Amino acid sequence: MGAMTGLLLLLWAGVTVGSVLDLQKRVIGGEDCTDGERQYHVILRGRKGTKSSLCGGSLISDQWILTAAHCWEDGRGWTMKAYLDRSPEVREVKITEYKIYKDNLFRKHDIMLLKLRDVITDITPVDLPDCKNPLNIGDKVQIAGHGFTAVDKTTKEKVKGPQGEPAKLQCGDMNVVDCAPIKKCLKKKLFLGSSMDLWLCYKDMAGIVDAAPGDSGGGVVVKNMIYGVISAGDDHACVGPAASMNVCYPKYLKWIKETINPKPKKG
């Protein structure tokens, strides 16, 4: 999961060029997630003719997926599909609506909820975070992503999984770091102001594990609780740690809870 931020503005603008898929990688330096990990992980695919997009997401209730807003393609001719891929067989689940968080200035933030048509009864969702015990600098988090697994050294072609589907979900550990080194870059790329409360940043101190475009929307998880939604990674214009939307940002958490568990209307 490497050079991502440079694509973010294009994705936010609703433009997915053919090269986007070419730049997607697996969780660099990661390894196959074990069979018991990330059962709640979701693959999000967009398609319009020869154009396509790939993201991750997390089932946070029996009917809602949490992901990144820039993963949604709603332009003319686009189709969006979600797949539960950690079951014995990959299966499609129908999306009925999407909700993107907007602040008081009506700016869209890179965090989104997708509602499913059917209630999912055979998968345990990931828990929302314990924000009374927030993550600290140095804490270990797990990221995960789905994408092409390797590049053939002879043909330079990307090696795909069975029937062209992404290879087995990759997991990797990183550490929470200060977002300050990419503060200006985040503000410039996403137009969300300079408040670092919006972000959770992380980095592999050994320089092995990283995040790429195909991993956008995936969860940043600790002890089966989702603390972040992968949004921005490292690129030439924004060198530094990868960044996620911070699920513990109070307004995000409140919005998530009220959306997935709305209060009954009076009367």
Side-chain angles (χ1 to χ4, degrees):
M1 297 191 292
M4 171 185 170
T5 315
L7 295 172
L8 211 51
L9 188 56
L10 285 175
L11 291 168
W12 255 112
V15 178
T16 303
V17 294
S19 61
V20 169
L21 191 59
D22 295 335
L23 294 174
Q24 292 164 351
K25 310 171 187 176
R26 66 182 176 87
V27 174
I28 298 171
E31 56 187 18
D32 288 355
C33 301
T34 65
D35 291 339
E37 289 182 304
R38 300 271 182 161
Q39 296 299 309
Y40 50 80
H41 186 81
V42 179
I43 297 174
L44 298 175
R45 291 187 180 277
R47 188 167 297 280
K48 179 182 179 182
T50 59
K51 298 178 182 179
S52 61
S53 64
L54 170 66
C55 278
S58 302
L59 198 66
I60 61 168
S61 79
D62 59 8
Q63 209 169 2
W64 288 91
I65 295 167
L66 181 64
T67 185
H70 78 259
C71 291
W72 188 257
E73 300 287 355
D74 61 355
R76 189 172 184 179
W78 279 94
T79 59
M80 294 296 300
K81 294 184 177 182
Y83 301 87
L84 301 176
D85 74 307
R86 302 288 285 150
S87 303
E89 294 184 2
V90 176
R91 70 182 193 267
E92 182 182 350
V93 286
K94 299 292 185 181
I95 301 169
T96 59
E97 61 180 296
Y98 69 98
K99 295 181 179 292
I100 296 174
Y101 178 85
K102 296 179 183 179
D103 59 26
N104 292 336
L105 298 177
F106 300 100
R107 296 176 300 187
K108 294 180 179 179
H109 291 219
D110 199 16
I111 187 166
M112 174 175 65
L113 288 164
L114 303 176
K115 187 174 184 179
L116 302 179
R117 181 190 64 187
D118 301 320
V119 173
I120 307 301
T121 60
D122 60 339
I123 295 176
T124 301
V126 64
D127 293 327
L128 291 176
D130 176 10
C131 297
K132 292 181 180 179
N133 295 291
L135 299 181
N136 297 307
I137 300 298
D139 285 348
K140 183 182 290 186
V141 299
Q142 186 196 64
I143 60 173
H146 234 304
F148 297 116
T149 60
V151 176
D152 187 287
K153 294 182 179 180
T154 302
T155 66
K156 306 301 181 183
E157 293 294 324
K158 292 179 176 62
V159 180
K160 303 179 182 180
Q163 290 79 50
E165 290 294 324
K168 189 171 182 180
L169 186 68
Q170 300 290 297
C171 287
D173 292 335
M174 302 179 80
N175 296 100
V176 177
V177 296
D178 190 352
C179 292
I182 57 172
K183 180 177 180 179
K184 291 183 179 179
C185 183
L186 290 175
K187 181 180 179 180
K188 180 179 179 181
K189 294 291 183 182
L190 295 182
F191 313 102
L192 296 183
S194 59
S195 174
M196 289 295 98
D197 293 340
L198 304 175
W199 302 100
L200 172 68
C201 294
Y202 45 93
K203 185 176 183 179
D204 175 24
M205 299 308 179
I208 298 173
V209 179
D210 203 356
D215 304 314
S216 297
V220 179
V221 174
V222 178
K223 296 180 180 178
N224 203 52
M225 293 181 286
I226 184 167
Y227 280 83
V229 175
I230 297 173
S231 177
D234 185 11
D235 73 356
H236 297 296
C238 187
V239 177
S244 297
M245 306 311 295
N246 182 4
V247 179
C248 275
Y249 178 60
K251 291 183 179 180
Y252 292 164
L253 189 61
K254 182 175 183 289
W255 170 74
I256 290 168
K257 290 180 176 180
E258 290 178 350
T259 301
I260 68 175
N261 292 305
K263 294 181 179 179
K265 295 181 179 179
K266 294 181 179 181

